[in-house]
Amino acid sequence: DAKTTQPTSMDCAEGRAANLPCNHSTISGNEYVYWYRQIHSQGPQYIIHGLKNNETNEMASLIITEDRKSSTLILPHATLRDTAVYYCIVPRSNDYKLSFGAGTTVTVRA
Amino acid sequence: EAGVVQSPRYKIIEKKQPVAFWCNPISGHNTLYWYRQNLGQGPELLIRYENEEAVDDSQLPKDRFSAERLKGVDSTLKIQPAELGDSAVYLCASSALGTAYGYTFGSGTRLTVV
């Protein structure tokens, strides 16, 4: 898997946008970027994925730089329920195995 | 639709005792995974099944861990004998064949070995 680098932790104010960065400078041209999150005492949950274009769904937006070496997950209006560990994962293109790093612990504060 | 179901939710055992975890995946999901998550770390893959075949068990400590997936549906992960270092959360996940975005995880079994 392409190595990913994420900040260890970040805080966010409730109602504000949370921007979570991820570096993946060794990503190959056909490898996707996936984001999962894990709320305390639950299993990880899929959020979004993308290849090169920006993606948006009901949970979040994913912005991938033109050179694809980094991406940003955006939670547009963070709520207390968004407090979780967020994982940025780039699996090999011929494999669908998810390898989790330590992720970013996001704390949303009232 | 029910999600991935795991049992038990919590388990406390003494070291050297055996323990087993059970997983019922999403109906129709061909791929099943067992992960182990130590405190403060991300989940680590132990074994992956495609239907009833274990296609990746390179990270499974085979001297004490075993797994099976009978009829390509439910799966059981066993530890015998358990060691103190096996204390962790054991997560089961399933996905449709050939996807990395459709993983659905269970809530896990928290194992404490004393």
Side-chain angles (χ1 to χ4, degrees), chain A residues 34 36 38 40-46 49 87 91 95-102, chain B residues 9 33 35 37 40-43 45 48 56 91 98-103 105-107:
Chain A
Y34 293 82
Y36 277 73
Q38 187 172 21
H40 182 63
S41 296
Q42 297 182 23
Q45 172 193 26
Y46 166 78
H49 73 286
Y87 300 99
D95 193 358
Y96 304 103
K97 180 175 68 176
L98 294 182
S99 297
F100 294 82
Chain B
R9 188 76 174 88
Y33 311 80
Y35 283 81
Q37 185 169 25
Q41 299 180 20
L45 181 67
R48 175 174 65 169
D56 183 356
L91 292 161
T99 71
Y101 59 84
Y103 277 54
F105 282 82
S107 296

Side-chain angles (χ1 to χ4, degrees), chain B residues 5-103:
Chain B
V5 179
Q6 291 189 246
S7 68
R9 188 76 174 88
Y10 302 93
K11 189 73 176 179
I12 301 174
I13 62 171
E14 294 183 344
K15 62 181 180 182
K16 301 184 182 179
Q17 295 302 306
V19 64
F21 314 123
W22 176 80
C23 173
N24 178 239
I26 298 284
S27 177
H29 279 189
N30 305 87
T31 310
L32 183 145
Y33 311 80
W34 282 102
Y35 283 81
R36 176 172 61 188
Q37 185 169 25
N38 293 312
L39 190 64
Q41 299 180 20
E44 169 195 25
L45 181 67
L46 293 174
I47 190 168
R48 175 174 65 169
Y49 282 93
E50 301 287 2
N51 298 304
E52 62 273 7
E53 181 182 359
V55 297
D56 183 356
D57 63 356
S58 58
Q59 300 302 311
L60 189 72
K62 298 181 183 62
D63 57 337
R64 297 183 299 107
F65 286 65
S66 64
E68 61 181 7
R69 189 182 185 196
L70 299 177
K71 300 181 180 179
V73 182
D74 293 1
S75 179
T76 303
L77 178 68
K78 298 178 181 178
I79 308 175
Q80 183 172 9
E83 298 179 351
L84 296 177
D86 296 330
S87 295
V89 175
Y90 291 82
L91 292 161
C92 178
S94 68
S95 71
L97 196 65
T99 71
Y101 59 84
Y103 277 54

Side-chain angles (χ1 to χ4, degrees), chain A residues 5-56:
Chain A
T5 303
Q6 299 178 251
T8 301
S9 63
M10 61 185 299
D11 285 359
C12 175
E14 187 179 23
R16 305 294 295 270
N19 297 308
L20 284 62
C22 179
N23 289 320
H24 32 77
S25 59
T26 61
I27 192 171
S28 298
N30 55 356
E31 291 177 339
Y32 284 73
V33 180
Y34 293 82
W35 284 83
Y36 277 73
R37 75 178 183 183
Q38 187 172 21
I39 295 171
H40 182 63
S41 296
Q42 297 182 23
Q45 172 193 26
Y46 166 78
I47 302 173
I48 199 168
H49 73 286
L51 182 62
K52 57 179 68 176
N53 297 320
N54 298 338
E55 302 289 344
T56 297

